[in-house]
């Protein structure tokens, strides 16, 4: 055993016991705040939170619902242990999932009891950071030196690729990235090369999976290196093979605390169990894992399914109080298996003070190895455990909590709890459920709702749109650009900044403009065509020497003998492809051409053959890209739009709407939340249902619960009846989760969008939009009221209620009424387009000919410098007065008095 004790405080001895103050010191401390007064750090805690803090002895499970003060309980518990002298800082093992959470925990503890008291806490950190500390202390027991290197993902993939090639295998047929993910999955289960199932071992490289895994581990040992999975698996193996080492840590750690216990995987569970379970004497091996035995790094392949749990029955539901109100639950200090009474005389395996904090209803990471069963069987792993429920919510309204609690009650694999709030404001609104015709109307309506909140002085930073799949973001990003609303994408790049989208756009840009060398250079070797740096440098040199585009230079080199045969053939194919696509640009529909380009280039097949977890999402994004092109007249007009979208700067400090996936939203909260896309196949996601069955459905329901509980005051759920799926418009079915919401907490929103009422396409039910008179079976139309005898009848009389339409009504004159009213039998007709030009805007909007009511539409490409100067005072029809802060061509950055900073074209403003 290597002894790296120099990083530990001098009092960090296994048998060291902190001495509680006594005598004069104790009397002085009591006199400071009164004999019976509670310490300052306990003030403000509710009864359940205080019970969780002060129950320091024995195993404790704190079931902390969303918004119930989980982090405060955990940090206050540590502060209480230290303040009462129950342990030294170095005798507390506190585990979190992220470095950010660990830093915040240490800061909070320091604020409670002083910074100096938390400096000596070397065992507060993430699973992996503590694993590194353990492994460096005992590296030789794992066959390593203490100065071992930790490989990142790229290093791991390169190493595996070398091993695949050394075995004489085709690394394209058997991608190294795919095998790296398989190894990571095995290590998340604590399985070494000898432990993986035969089926898994034979699923890669013609049955050589086990041999490659073993060779990989041997190579890591030769390099004195390990990957992230080894940071847990090596300590597990060391603890199992060296009982004296494990016993030393049993004496060292007086208290163990774990955050987000519901998100632990099997390896993390094993690691914790070894440190927490302390036999009082020689005992036979006992069942203790979710499968019936502790899975180990040396033998975990026989892990079975989790033990059964008593499902929630209708009788149980009848005993549950109305959601959103405080349940009438007696104190439950001690619970046995599945929450039942602890069996009399239940023997505990030694004294262990472990406290796990988590929420079984928020376990949403099963796709990356998390096991919700770990938290569900806590009372079986630690008989006689105290289970404390935190159900008093400080975040959301009673209606939001009621909807969330009623929804999650449909899950069977859960302990069960009911969130409630002491805040009962009669002005609080119910959960709003909206229906839309398609995703474009969904995005328009949500954008208008956000603008309405903004006019009521709500901050954009307090609003969020939470989507199930990343491809849903595109419609919102485009709509917000049109509206001039600031937004930020959290947890990933914005839609048009994703790698696969930028690659596809590069192909399109070269087709539209053969002189776009930047785009050509990006995709000339995508997918891989065997073109190295030397070939690309030669194309560069030829293009500069002859002053021609790189595409043309590539074609010239392909017909010469200056290159070797393989790169020459590859360039000949590239040049021929672009020549063919450019000819089709004038004759083929641009959406069809875009699909052809991605297929014939091999780009789509590249992602289809990619076995990584991101590949399906990238393919969905490419399909959404093609779909988004349909509303544009040509490929060039679409590329012009994208250029303007990508030109919008993303400022982290600005007031902006947050757009993110539901998985990224965990732990966050917003005043107003929008949940679009609640349709079968999207949410719950079909892949989760196909791969996980009932457990997959329950995890999707937990994800819905997480989404609902992010909202503090306003919650809007949306579903549509038509969505483009795999390039085809398909009718969709409302999500089953909508039917699981309680009617008492839900309000059906009236359709006030540009298409009028949603109607009743599903044959009745609570989502029908009944109206007086004969109902249109397809829903009310915005043209239904055209020609009605109103104050302003005719072409402008309908239910269209967007701000732009209202301005048009206000500015309407008799001349414009005649102009619109005499065009067609429908009175409203699409205004024709004028001449086309040769730029990106060709085929969509002429900068010369397109007029509406005799006024020239603002152009997005400047013919001459802007007539405005920085500092000019201007007026915008929508945003009001403001001062110009920056000018770029005909694009103005204006600081509006009320709307904040916006980027607009100079044709839309007037000098004041």
């Amino acid at each position: 055993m290597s002894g790296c004790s120099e990083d530990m405080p001098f009092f960090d001895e296994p048998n060291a016991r902190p001495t509680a103050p006594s005598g004069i010191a104790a009397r002085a401390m009591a006199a400071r705040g009164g004999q019976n007064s509670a310490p300052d750090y306990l003030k403000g805690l509710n009864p359940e939170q205080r019970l969780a803090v002060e129950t320091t002895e024995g195993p404790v499970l704190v079931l902390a619902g969303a918004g119930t003060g989980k982090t405060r309980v955990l940090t206050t518990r540590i502060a209480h242990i230290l303040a009462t002298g129950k342990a030294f800082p170095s005798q507390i093992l506190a585990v979190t999932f992220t470095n950010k959470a660990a830093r915040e925990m240490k800061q909070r503890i320091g604020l409670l009891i002083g910074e100096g008291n938390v400096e000596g806490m070397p065992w507060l950190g993430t699973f992996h950071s503590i694993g590194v500390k353990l492994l460096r202390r005992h590296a030789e027991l794992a066959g390593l030196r203490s100065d071992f290197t930790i490989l990142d993902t790229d290093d791991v993939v390169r190493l595996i690729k070398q091993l695949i090639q050394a075995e004489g295998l085709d690394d394209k047929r058997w991608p190294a990235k795919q095998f790296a993910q398989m190894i990571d999955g095995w290590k998340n289960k604590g399985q070494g090369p000898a432990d993986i199932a035969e089926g898994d071992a034979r699923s890669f490289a013609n049955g050589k999976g086990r041999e490659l895994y073993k060779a990989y581990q041997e190579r890591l040992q030769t390099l004195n290196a390990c990957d992230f999975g080894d940071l847990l698996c090596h300590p597990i193996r060391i603890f199992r093979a060296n009982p004296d080492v494990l016993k030393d840590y049993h004496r060292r750690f007086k208290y163990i605390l774990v955050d987000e216990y519901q998100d632990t995987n099997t390896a993390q569970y094993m690691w914790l169990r070894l440190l927490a379970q302390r036999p009082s004497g020689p005992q036979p091996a006992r069942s203790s894992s979710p499968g019936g035995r502790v899975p180990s790094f040396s033998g975990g392949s026989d892990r079975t399914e989790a033990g059964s749990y008593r499902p929630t029955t209708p009788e149980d539901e009848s005993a549950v109080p109305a959601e959103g109100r405080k349940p009438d639950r007696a104190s439950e200090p001690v619970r046995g298996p599945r929450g039942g009474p602890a069996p009399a005389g239940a023997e505990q395996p030694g004294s262990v003070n472990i406290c796990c904090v988590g929420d079984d209803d928020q376990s949403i990471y099963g796709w990356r190895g998390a096991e919700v069963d770990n938290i569900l069987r806590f009372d079986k792993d630690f008989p006689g455990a105290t289970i404390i429920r935190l159900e008093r919510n400080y975040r959301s309204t009673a209606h939001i909590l009621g909807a969330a609690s009623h929804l999650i009650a449909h899950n069977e694999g859960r302990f069960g709890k009911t969130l409630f709030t002491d805040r009962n404001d009669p002005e609080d609104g119910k959960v709003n459920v909206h229906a839309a015709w398609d995703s474009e109307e969904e995005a328009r309506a949500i954008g208008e709702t956000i603008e309405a909140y903004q006019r009521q002085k709500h901050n954009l930073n307090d609003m969020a749109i939470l989507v199930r799949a990343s491809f849903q973001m595109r419609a919102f990003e485009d709509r917000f650009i049109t509206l001039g609303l600031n937004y930020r994408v959290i947890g990933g790049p914005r839609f048009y900044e994703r790698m696969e989208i930028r690659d596809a756009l590069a192909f399109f840009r070269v087709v539209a403009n053969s002189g776009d060398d930047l785009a050509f250079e990006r995709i000339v070797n995508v997918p891989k065509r065997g073109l190295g740096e030397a070939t690309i440098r030669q194309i560069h040199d030829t293009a500069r020497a002859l002053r021609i585009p790189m595409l043309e230079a590539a074609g010239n080199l392909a017909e010469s003998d200056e290159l070797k045969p393989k790169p020459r053939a590859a360039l000949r194919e590239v040049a021929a492809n672009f020549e063919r696509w450019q000819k089709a640009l004038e004759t083929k529909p641009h959406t069809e051409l875009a699909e052809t380009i991605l297929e014939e280039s091999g780009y789509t097949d590249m992602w289809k053959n990619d076995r990584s977890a991101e590949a399906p999402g990238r393919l969905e994004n490419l399909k959404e890209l093609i779909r988004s092109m349909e509303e544009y007249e040509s490929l060039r007009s679409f590329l012009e739009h994208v250029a303007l979208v990508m030109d919008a700067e993303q400022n982290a400090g600005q007031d902006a709407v947050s757009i993110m996936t539901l998985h990224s939203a965990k732990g966050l909260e917003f005043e107003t939340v929008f949940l679009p896309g609640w349709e079968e196949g999207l949410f719950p996601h079909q892949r989760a249902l196909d791969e996980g069955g009932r457990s997959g459905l329950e995890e999707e329901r937990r994800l819905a619960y997480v989404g609902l509980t992010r909202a503090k005051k306003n919650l809007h759920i949306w579903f549509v009846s038509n969505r483009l799926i795999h390039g085809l418009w398909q009718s969709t079915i409302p999500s089953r989760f909508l039917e699981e919401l309680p009617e008492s907490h839900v309000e059906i929103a009236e359709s006030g969008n540009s298409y009028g009422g949603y109607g009743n396409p599903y044959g009745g039910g609570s989502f029908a939009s009944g109206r007086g008179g004969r109902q249109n079976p397809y829903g009310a139309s915005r043209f239904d009221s055209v020609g009605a005898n109103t104050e302003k009848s005719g072409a402008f009389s309908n239910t269209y209620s967007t701000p732009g339409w209202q301005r048009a009504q206000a500015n309407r004159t008799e001349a414009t009424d005649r102009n619109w009213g005499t065009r067609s039998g429908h009175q409203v007709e699409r205004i024709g387009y004028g001449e086309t030009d040769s730029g990106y805007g060709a085929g969509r909007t002429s900068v010369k000919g397109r007029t509406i009511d005799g006024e020239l539409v603002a152009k997005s490409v400047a013919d001459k410098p802007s007539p405005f100067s920085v500092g000019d005072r201007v007026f915008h029809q929508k945003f009001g007065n403001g001062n110009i802060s920056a000018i770029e061509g005909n694009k103005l950055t204006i600081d509006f008095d009320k709307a904040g900073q916006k980027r607009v074209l100079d044709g839309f403003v007037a000098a004041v």
Side-chain angles (χ1 to χ4, degrees), residues 122-411:
W123 302 105
L124 189 158
T126 65
F127 280 97
H128 290 102
S129 67
I130 294 175
V132 170
K133 190 183 295 289
L134 291 171
L135 191 54
R136 292 208 186 276
R137 284 170 168 258
H138 311 287
E140 75 281 0
L141 297 179
L144 300 170
R145 299 192 305 273
S146 61
D147 60 346
F148 60 82
T149 302
I150 303 172
L151 302 185
D152 60 19
T153 303
D154 291 339
D155 293 332
V156 168
V157 171
R158 281 200 301 270
L159 176 57
I160 293 176
K161 187 174 182 178
Q162 294 173 5
L163 296 173
I164 290 174
Q165 292 173 343
E167 287 287 329
L169 298 169
D170 183 358
D171 60 349
K172 293 182 179 179
R173 172 68 181 85
W174 306 106
K177 190 173 183 180
Q178 178 192 355
F179 193 60
Q181 292 175 337
M182 293 176 69
I183 290 177
D184 184 62
W186 292 329
K187 290 189 177 182
N188 284 340
K189 297 176 182 178
Q191 296 177 349
D195 309 316
I196 58 177
E198 188 63 26
D200 291 342
R202 300 190 64 81
S203 64
F204 188 85
N206 298 321
K208 295 185 177 181
R210 194 187 308 276
E211 289 75 11
L212 284 172
Y213 186 8
K214 183 178 179 181
Y216 170 73
Q217 290 298 122
E218 291 174 349
R219 183 63 177 157
L220 286 178
Q221 190 167 347
T222 301
L223 295 173
N224 191 39
C226 64
D227 58 23
F228 277 90
D230 288 332
L231 299 181
L232 290 178
C233 289
H234 279 320
I236 290 172
R237 186 168 62 86
I238 291 171
F239 289 157
R240 289 176 60 84
N242 301 273
D244 58 323
V245 175
L246 181 59
K247 189 175 181 181
D248 177 68
Y249 285 103
H250 285 167
R251 291 194 303 266
R252 182 184 303 276
F253 297 138
K254 307 300 181 185
Y255 291 92
I256 299 176
L257 299 96
V258 186
D259 192 14
E260 302 288 4
Y261 189 57
Q262 78 280 352
D263 292 332
T264 54
N265 59 34
T266 303
Q268 291 162 341
Y269 169 86
M270 294 157 50
W271 185 84
L272 283 169
R273 287 295 308 279
L274 286 168
L275 288 171
Q277 280 202 335
R278 306 168 186 181
S280 55
Q283 295 180 351
R286 59 188 299 271
S287 172
S288 54
S289 81
R293 60 166 246 171
V294 177
S296 69
F297 190 48
S298 60
S301 60
D302 59 345
R303 180 179 179 186
T304 63
E305 290 299 319
S308 60
Y309 301 100
R310 182 173 61 87
T312 303
T313 64
E315 290 75 12
D316 297 329
E317 301 230 355
S318 65
V320 176
E323 293 86 355
R325 299 198 299 272
K326 182 176 181 179
D328 183 16
R329 178 178 286 119
S331 176
E332 301 175 278
V334 179
R335 302 296 297 270
R338 192 58 184 91
E347 181 181 354
Q348 298 189 36
S351 174
V352 54
N353 299 320
I354 181 171
C355 175
C356 293
V357 181
D359 185 1
D360 52 327
D361 292 335
Q362 295 190 72
S363 178
I364 59 174
Y365 298 116
W367 49 276
R368 68 183 188 194
E371 292 279 358
V372 68
D373 293 340
N374 294 346
I375 191 171
L376 291 177
R377 64 170 299 110
F378 183 88
D379 49 7
K380 296 182 177 66
D381 293 335
F382 301 98
T386 301
I387 298 180
I388 301 172
R389 288 174 169 83
L390 302 183
E391 300 168 302
R392 191 188 308 267
N393 181 279
Y394 295 96
R395 175 189 299 160
S396 306
T397 66
H399 287 303
I400 294 173
L401 297 178
S405 296
H406 194 278
L407 173 73
I408 199 62
H410 289 78
N411 272 5

Side-chain angles (χ1 to χ4, degrees), residues 449-627:
T449 305
I450 291 174
E451 286 190 311
Y453 279 124
Q454 200 175 21
R455 288 192 291 272
Q456 297 171 14
K457 308 301 181 184
H458 290 225
N459 294 326
L460 295 180
N461 282 333
D462 294 331
M463 305 182 207
I465 299 174
L466 311 181
V467 299
R468 177 59 183 86
S470 60
F471 75 85
Q472 293 175 260
M473 296 180 184
R474 198 276 314 165
F476 295 105
E477 293 189 47
D478 282 357
R479 186 60 185 165
F480 291 169
I481 290 294
T482 302
L483 294 176
L485 279 174
N486 296 327
Y487 72 92
R488 67 174 64 90
V489 174
I490 296 178
R494 296 189 288 181
F495 183 80
Y496 293 109
E497 294 174 352
R498 291 179 166 87
M499 181 187 70
E500 66 276 11
I501 301 302
R502 294 181 74 96
D503 286 346
L505 291 174
F507 278 106
F508 302 160
R509 284 167 54 186
V510 177
V511 172
N513 176 15
S514 60
D516 194 335
D517 287 353
L518 292 176
F520 178 80
E521 189 174 2
R522 179 183 180 95
I523 48 83
V524 64
N525 198 35
V526 177
K528 297 291 185 182
R529 298 186 176 91
L531 300 176
E533 293 183 4
T535 302
I536 296 175
R537 191 182 308 113
Q538 193 165 356
I539 297 174
H540 262 298
D541 295 341
T542 303
R544 280 197 298 269
L546 300 178
R547 295 188 176 182
I548 58 176
M550 289 183 67
L551 176 58
E552 185 177 348
N556 293 344
L557 287 172
E559 301 304 324
S560 70
D561 294 327
E562 297 185 33
L563 296 176
K564 295 180 180 179
K566 185 175 180 180
R568 189 165 67 240
L571 286 181
R572 187 181 298 114
E573 181 183 3
V574 169
N577 283 342
F578 278 107
E579 182 180 1
R580 183 173 64 259
W581 298 332
Q582 287 168 345
K583 289 179 180 178
L585 181 62
E586 307 302 328
T587 60
K588 205 171 189 177
H590 62 285
T591 53
E592 185 179 338
L593 175 61
E595 287 186 271
T596 300
I597 292 171
L598 295 179
E599 289 173 2
E600 292 184 353
S601 66
Y603 193 75
T604 301
D605 287 338
M606 181 186 80
W607 288 116
K608 285 181 178 178
N609 296 328
D610 192 303
R611 304 295 183 89
S612 67
E614 297 85 6
R618 297 190 189 278
L619 286 170
E620 285 185 349
N621 289 336
L622 291 173
K623 292 170 185 173
E624 178 63 17
L625 176 69
I626 301 298
R627 199 215 91 34

Side-chain angles (χ1 to χ4, degrees), residues 50-161:
R50 183 160 179 174
L51 178 63
V53 167
E54 295 183 321
T55 307
T56 58
E57 307 308 306
V60 177
L61 175 63
V62 179
L63 289 174
T68 58
K70 166 182 69 69
T71 305
R72 183 182 183 185
V73 166
L74 198 60
T75 54
T76 307
R77 182 182 172 91
I78 296 175
H80 180 66
I81 292 172
L82 294 175
T84 55
K86 294 180 180 295
F88 291 124
S90 61
Q91 294 174 321
I92 297 176
L93 172 64
V95 188
T96 67
F97 268 82
T98 65
N99 290 314
K100 179 182 177 183
R103 286 194 301 270
E104 290 179 355
M105 187 180 296
K106 185 169 285 191
Q107 290 170 359
R108 289 197 185 195
I109 297 171
L111 291 175
L112 291 174
I113 61 174
E115 295 291 340
N117 292 315
V118 296
E119 289 304 316
M121 292 191 68
W123 302 105
L124 189 158
T126 65
F127 280 97
H128 290 102
S129 67
I130 294 175
V132 170
K133 190 183 295 289
L134 291 171
L135 191 54
R136 292 208 186 276
R137 284 170 168 258
H138 311 287
E140 75 281 0
L141 297 179
L144 300 170
R145 299 192 305 273
S146 61
D147 60 346
F148 60 82
T149 302
I150 303 172
L151 302 185
D152 60 19
T153 303
D154 291 339
D155 293 332
V156 168
V157 171
R158 281 200 301 270
L159 176 57
I160 293 176
K161 187 174 182 178

Side-chain angles (χ1 to χ4, degrees), residues 808-843:
Q809 287 181 305
N811 296 332
R812 178 186 164 214
T813 65
E814 184 179 351
T816 58
D817 194 31
R818 287 197 305 270
N819 181 39
W820 280 67
T822 58
R823 288 187 174 239
S824 71
H826 293 290
Q827 295 192 353
V828 177
E829 184 180 55
R830 188 177 183 180
I831 293 177
Y833 295 98
E835 309 156 9
T836 60
D837 56 40
S838 58
Y840 280 164

Side-chain angles (χ1 to χ4, degrees), residues 444 752-757 776 778-787 794-802 805 820 826 828-829:
R444 279 195 301 271
N753 52 53
S754 56
Y755 289 117
N776 184 341
Y778 297 101
S781 165
R782 68 187 176 102
F783 299 112
D784 287 348
S785 58
V786 173
F796 285 92
S797 296
N798 52 47
T799 59
Y800 201 56
S801 60
T802 62
W805 187 266
W820 280 67
H826 293 290
V828 177
E829 184 180 55

Side-chain angles (χ1 to χ4, degrees), residues 868-869 871-875 881-884 895-897 910-912:
F868 298 101
S869 302
D872 284 357
R873 185 77 171 168
V874 294
F875 173 80
N881 293 320
N883 297 317
I884 298 176
D895 294 323
F896 290 102
D897 297 345
V912 176

